[in-house]
Amino acid sequence: MRGPPPAFAQPPHFVFGNDEYRVWFCTSSTGGPPGFLTQMGRIDQVREEHAVWIVDKAYPAFTERHPRGPYVFAHDWSLGLGYETGARTRLVQWGMQVRAEVDSISLVVSEDAHPLVRMAVSVGTSSLAVVGMDIRVGYSLPNVIEQHGWTPERLD
């Protein structure tokens, strides 16, 4: 499977497997909070192992650079056809754990996403919205990047 073009020309800070998932740490030119951007690569299903990798490896490295929130998250699932229940459960649990540190979350899905994908996204986002998180679903990763004025942080 061929993944979407990378969100930025700069290589990601973290890559899972053979370009299955990508993560960038972002700086905002608008003075907004630092950004944590995840992007599905050569996959169409978010598996539990991806969620564990994001939560237990990539996110701790991000918070090492930025010890205090608020943070802005964006997740590009535009090629997503679905995700495992374990992945959704782990990501929602993580969202609940870090909600006090999160300014907002943007979830990018395809305008052509299957109705079951939209329903699954709705279940996950509703769980977080109920506890007061600012979570938005959109259709354009470039628009999300532009809205936040993001550029990738320097690689170390």
Side-chain angles (χ1 to χ4, degrees):
M1 171 174 198
R2 188 181 165 137
F8 298 105
Q10 174 183 302
H13 291 85
F14 285 90
V15 176
F16 182 96
N18 184 24
D19 196 33
E20 292 180 31
Y21 234 103
R22 309 164 184 152
V23 175
W24 285 268
F25 305 157
C26 303
T27 301
S28 174
S29 63
T30 65
F36 183 79
L37 171 64
T38 70
Q39 182 182 44
M40 293 175 76
R42 296 176 186 216
I43 57 170
D44 59 9
Q45 298 279 328
V46 181
R47 296 188 314 268
E48 187 170 3
E49 66 184 315
H50 299 134
V52 168
W53 173 79
I54 289 167
V55 172
D56 294 343
K57 182 169 180 162
Y59 182 68
F62 175 73
T63 59
E64 193 172 297
R65 282 188 184 213
H66 303 283
R68 292 187 186 90
Y71 308 123
V72 174
F73 293 170
H75 304 290
D76 178 9
W77 288 2
S78 56
L79 291 185
L81 299 177
Y83 49 82
E84 295 177 352
T85 300
R88 184 187 69 232
T89 300
R90 185 66 183 106
L91 292 171
V92 169
Q93 286 173 343
W94 172 52
M96 297 292 201
Q97 291 168 351
V98 300
R99 71 179 181 258
E101 304 164 0
V102 177
D103 181 71
S104 65
I105 301 172
S106 295
L107 184 59
V108 178
V109 296
S110 169
E111 289 186 73
D112 302 324
H114 189 278
L116 290 176
V117 171
R118 289 177 186 259
M119 185 177 74
V121 166
S122 179
V123 168
T125 58
S126 295
S127 299
L128 296 173
V130 164
V131 296
M133 293 189 81
D134 178 4
I135 186 161
R136 306 166 193 158
V137 178
Y139 305 107
S140 169
L141 181 59
N143 286 352
V144 170
I145 290 170
E146 182 180 341
Q147 172 191 350
H148 295 294
W150 279 350
T151 55
E153 293 180 357
R154 185 176 53 85
L155 294 171
D156 287 333

